[in-house]
Amino acid sequence: MDDLQIIELYFARNEQAIRETDVKYGKLCFGLANNILNNNEDSEECVNDTYLSVWNKIPPTRPNCFVAFICKIVRNLSMKKLDFRLAQKRNSNAVISFSELEEILPDNRINPNVSDEEIGHLISDFLEEEKEDARNAFIRKYWFFDSISDIAARYSFSESKVKSMLYHTRNKLREYLKEEGVEI
């Protein structure tokens, strides 16, 4: 079933919408949640909470890109759950990813005039201009929290190539943000 048909099921308040969403996007949602939480039970709970959230948001929302809509919800719910865990139990992939980006993103205490939304738009603009391989690796690492080895396997790269691409992309992003007037 295509996304438009699934969305129409939500608008009709037909519970089949949740089943169809699970069939089409269940593995993606679980994988994303598990990359962040590294716990099957918590990941499954986030996926179920995602379906409830989608049910509550559609209608009135009619997403243009259903998969992005769902991924954003599952990611946000997973990040909230991660915040409630003790620091020792956190997934090292997510923590490492955040620490790598911390070095190139502005601190709100130093630069309170730049909103997170503005930074998000600048990063999106930057990534649109990057080569597809570098863009995909960056998104898989910092949005989906895939490990270096998972990214390498997905795109048939060596792990050292993935690390190098991420390093160079982060540095280019830092320079791009400086050029755009964002103080880091």
Side-chain angles (χ1 to χ4, degrees):
M1 182 173 280
D2 73 17
D3 290 353
L4 293 177
Q5 292 171 316
I6 295 172
I7 291 170
E8 288 307 317
L9 288 174
Y10 280 104
F11 270 88
R13 307 312 287 162
N14 184 332
E15 291 181 14
Q16 182 68 24
I18 295 171
R19 286 187 287 281
E20 295 295 336
T21 301
D22 186 52
V23 166
K24 190 163 185 182
Y25 297 115
K27 284 184 181 180
L28 174 66
C29 290
F30 181 82
L32 176 54
N34 206 36
N35 281 347
I36 295 168
L37 299 169
N38 202 26
N39 179 290
N40 289 344
E41 293 81 21
D42 287 348
S43 299
E44 189 62 40
E45 183 180 331
C46 280
V47 171
N48 290 330
D49 290 346
T50 297
Y51 297 152
L52 176 63
S53 181
V54 171
W55 180 263
N56 290 332
K57 292 178 188 257
I58 302 175
T61 304
R62 185 176 292 275
N64 291 331
C65 181
F66 191 54
V67 67
F69 181 77
I70 292 169
C71 284
K72 182 176 181 182
I73 292 171
V74 75
R75 184 180 189 276
N76 289 341
L77 290 172
S78 298
M79 296 300 288
K80 284 180 186 176
K81 184 166 282 300
L82 181 64
D83 284 341
F84 287 114
R85 290 189 177 174
L86 297 174
Q88 297 88 349
K89 294 184 179 179
R90 289 189 175 166
N91 177 349
S92 61
N93 283 340
V95 173
I96 290 168
S97 295
F98 284 135
S99 67
E100 289 172 353
L101 287 179
E102 244 176 20
E103 299 171 9
I104 62 168
L105 295 177
D107 185 339
N108 286 344
R109 294 170 297 186
I110 296 170
N111 203 350
N113 297 331
V114 180
S115 73
D116 291 342
E117 188 174 329
E118 289 174 273
I119 297 297
H121 287 299
L122 288 171
I123 292 171
S124 292
D125 292 346
F126 167 78
L127 289 174
E128 284 178 12
E129 300 301 317
E130 284 299 292
K131 293 179 181 173
E132 185 177 1
D133 289 344
R135 178 177 54 242
N136 289 340
F138 190 91
I139 290 169
R140 293 307 307 185
K141 177 68 174 162
Y142 301 114
W143 175 261
F144 289 100
F145 298 107
D146 284 356
S147 68
I148 299 292
S149 59
D150 288 343
I151 297 167
R154 175 182 286 269
Y155 298 110
S156 300
F157 297 145
S158 68
E159 289 186 23
S160 62
K161 178 173 178 162
V162 173
K163 289 177 186 177
S164 177
M165 282 192 314
L166 291 171
Y167 175 79
H168 290 294
T169 304
R170 285 193 312 269
N171 286 339
K172 286 173 69 176
L173 176 58
R174 177 188 300 120
E175 291 306 312
Y176 175 80
L177 291 174
K178 285 180 183 177
E179 288 171 10
E180 292 296 319
V182 176
E183 191 176 323
I184 299 174

